[in-house]
Amino acid sequence: RNSSKPHANGNDSKKFKGDIRGPGVPSRVIHVRKLPNDINEAEVISLGLPFGAVTNLLMLKAKNQAFIEMNSEDAAQTMVGYYSTMTPVIRNHPIYIQFSNHKELKTDNSPNQRAQAALQAVSASQATGLDAAVAPSPVLRVVVENLFYPVTLDVLHQIFSKFGTVLRIITFTKNNQFQALLQYPDGLTAQHSKLSLDGQNIYNACCTLRISFSKLTSLNVKYNNDKSRDYTRPDLPTGDSQPAMEHPAMTAAFTPGIISASPYAGATHAFPPPFTIQQAGLTVPALPGALASLSLPGAARLGFHPLPAGHCVLLVSNLNPEVRITPHCLFILFGVYGDVMRVKILFNKKENALVQMSDSTQAQLAMSHLNGQRLHGKPLRITLSKHTSVQLPREGHEDQGLTKDYSSSPLHRFKKPGSKNYSNIFPPSATLHLSNIPPSVVEDDLKMLFGSSGAMVKAFKFFQKDHKMALIQMGSVEEAIESLIEFHNHDLGENHHLRVSFSKSSI
């Protein structure tokens, strides 16, 4: 076989060598590497679906590789461009994507039946869905059916922001149904989100999402309250908002369990954290930008793979060995997403570290938000460690301060059950939220402080009503991450220690 077209036949993996090379000349065939062992055809196809029709597939399971043929070179270019900024993750594995040397996949007379069956199932479902040639609207219409528990604007924001930045949400009740309009920056993100979430249950066996594209291309939000919100304009007035839901279940003092690590004690049903228990309705995928497994007919819903309970140690690799990264740096950064119990920087491999979170939900949150983010010029690689806890050095054994126990640290953000920090968990962004600012500290003081490490301060804004809080925009997400590590808990005098977190707003 010297043909330049690999044959889409499952038995060819021995004869066919994969393309191990740089991201070359555009082609509608895309080479996918580093796939997990138990991957299925549908999951691989789902990587291409948001960008256009997938016309052929070749799986090389023995090599953990695959080739996806898109219906056009444009669709393939969009796909490779998108994934160059957002590494896709399937089952906690980062997947690598590049153009193939091959211009098309030639199908043998004896095609790989499973790949062809998966493609047929997808084209059948796509025929009833969206024409890939038509740019979808960035605005989604969301109807929540079977509303057994209240669904709030914040719950919707938490779910939908897993797929991209949510700009605006308006919620309303129509025909006795709770509905929402939700705007993303672009139609591609909206399409990706719709593909992954349509038909899912927020809670077990109830609150089903029905998602369609709106005819609107933009939303106009007048008030920021529990019915509507414009995340790009924190300065909007609240208006006279009614309680978000007049719903009998509200009396059960119910707190949604989508992110919260421990179910609220007052709830009539204790919802297990969905990251750890498959049955808890919608389980959010492992990464912003992660594409969920595609559900073929017969699958009840998208098969996200949550962490097994008890797995709370993360292996952090690709740290920059030329910069002294201490356990404290990782404690502060990972502490944005959960309470860090212990950190160990590996003695012989300083670019690797173990971070032990207080539970597996928090480990999943930290991994989903921080994997692929840059720290001191290198993207962090975060996976689940096989260790179930981080061992402290035995007494009398000096480890140069590379292992630290933080279990009794006063800096944990999530110690209090129902802490409002749970509702302020956002992906790393260039804009930081500052709080606990003493009255004597003015804008210039904070700009000088954040510029003192060599980072660029692009904008600054105190909150109108409350000068204890402010937003500060750094030159990049990476600068914001490093500034958060450096200045969270910084002593501003008058017994005030600065609190720093990532903001969902921009200035």
Side-chain angles (χ1 to χ4, degrees), residues 366-406:
M367 181 160 71
S368 67
H369 284 302
L370 294 174
N371 185 38
Q373 297 289 349
R374 298 180 84 81
L375 178 62
H376 300 299
K378 292 176 77 82
L380 293 172
R381 293 275 167 258
I382 303 171
T383 53
L384 211 52
S385 166
K386 58 182 186 292
H387 298 284
T388 50
S389 67
V390 169
Q391 297 300 312
L392 293 174
R394 294 198 301 280
E395 271 193 49
H397 285 66
E398 175 51 51
D399 82 333
Q400 302 175 356
L402 296 176
T403 309
K404 284 272 194 290
D405 183 276
Y406 294 101

Side-chain angles (χ1 to χ4, degrees), residues 299-356:
R301 57 187 185 81
L302 295 177
F304 293 130
H305 291 265
L307 285 185
H311 276 261
C312 51
V313 179
L314 299 171
L315 171 64
V316 183
S317 53
N318 205 34
L319 295 169
N320 189 333
E322 290 160 31
V323 179
R324 186 167 175 267
I325 294 172
T326 61
H328 178 78
C329 299
L330 297 176
F331 166 69
I332 295 293
L333 177 59
F334 282 74
V336 173
Y337 300 107
D339 294 336
V340 176
M341 296 292 120
R342 289 177 181 175
V343 179
K344 183 187 200 77
I345 291 174
L346 302 189
F347 186 79
N348 295 327
K349 292 180 80 177
K350 299 274 195 301
E351 58 275 18
N352 291 345
L354 294 172
V355 176
Q356 182 179 340

Side-chain angles (χ1 to χ4, degrees), residues 85-165:
T85 61
M86 187 88 85
T87 307
V89 166
I90 297 180
R91 306 191 186 189
N92 298 329
H93 282 252
I95 310 298
Y96 297 94
I97 284 178
Q98 64 195 33
F99 290 116
S100 166
N101 289 324
H102 305 283
K103 290 295 175 196
E104 63 177 317
L105 291 179
K106 187 177 160 196
T107 307
D108 267 353
N109 296 333
S110 54
N112 177 349
Q113 262 114 20
R114 284 179 56 177
Q116 296 311 308
L119 280 165
Q120 276 166 1
V122 168
S123 36
S125 66
Q126 273 204 327
T128 59
L130 182 87
D131 178 356
V134 180
S137 162
V139 178
L140 295 176
R141 179 166 169 263
V142 181
V143 177
V144 184
E145 293 178 352
N146 193 10
L147 189 74
F148 193 63
Y149 293 105
V151 172
T152 63
L153 181 147
D154 287 330
V155 167
L156 292 175
H157 182 264
Q158 260 171 355
I159 296 166
F160 283 84
S161 59
K162 294 290 155 196
F163 297 88
T165 308

Side-chain angles (χ1 to χ4, degrees), residues 263-312:
Y264 187 69
T268 50
H269 289 62
F271 286 93
F275 286 118
T276 50
I277 301 193
Q278 182 82 36
Q279 281 74 33
L282 177 85
T283 314
V284 201
L287 260 202
L291 283 146
S293 323
L294 181 81
S295 84
L296 292 171
R301 57 187 185 81
L302 295 177
F304 293 130
H305 291 265
L307 285 185
H311 276 261
C312 51

Side-chain angles (χ1 to χ4, degrees), residues 139-145 151 156 159-160 169-172 174 177-184 193-194 197-200 202 207-214:
V139 178
L140 295 176
R141 179 166 169 263
V142 181
V143 177
V144 184
E145 293 178 352
V151 172
L156 292 175
I159 296 166
F160 283 84
I169 304 180
I170 297 171
T171 62
F172 53 94
K174 187 177 175 185
Q177 279 186 316
F178 177 72
Q179 302 193 20
L181 292 167
L182 185 141
Q183 183 182 348
Y184 281 114
S193 172
K194 175 182 181 294
L197 294 175
D198 187 28
Q200 292 252 37
I202 299 179
C207 301
T208 308
L209 295 170
R210 296 282 173 232
I211 303 171
S212 55
F213 290 100
S214 168

Side-chain angles (χ1 to χ4, degrees), residues 2 69 129 159 201 228 275 356 376 390 411 439 478-479 487:
N2 298 321
E69 181 186 273
I159 296 166
N201 295 330
S228 64
F275 286 118
Q356 182 179 340
H376 300 299
V390 169
L411 294 185
E478 186 176 353
E479 284 191 353
F487 300 118

Side-chain angles (χ1 to χ4, degrees), residues 163-230:
F163 297 88
T165 308
V166 175
L167 302 182
R168 299 172 188 88
I169 304 180
I170 297 171
T171 62
F172 53 94
T173 302
K174 187 177 175 185
N175 308 333
N176 282 336
Q177 279 186 316
F178 177 72
Q179 302 193 20
L181 292 167
L182 185 141
Q183 183 182 348
Y184 281 114
D186 56 77
L188 187 65
T189 309
Q191 183 178 357
H192 172 186
S193 172
K194 175 182 181 294
L195 271 167
S196 300
L197 294 175
D198 187 28
Q200 292 252 37
N201 295 330
I202 299 179
Y203 304 115
N204 197 17
C206 68
C207 301
T208 308
L209 295 170
R210 296 282 173 232
I211 303 171
S212 55
F213 290 100
S214 168
K215 291 188 174 65
L216 298 168
T217 53
S218 182
L219 297 178
N220 179 21
V221 174
K222 295 193 175 77
Y223 301 111
N224 280 343
N225 53 38
D226 45 20
K227 290 271 179 72
S228 64
R229 206 160 298 163
D230 185 332

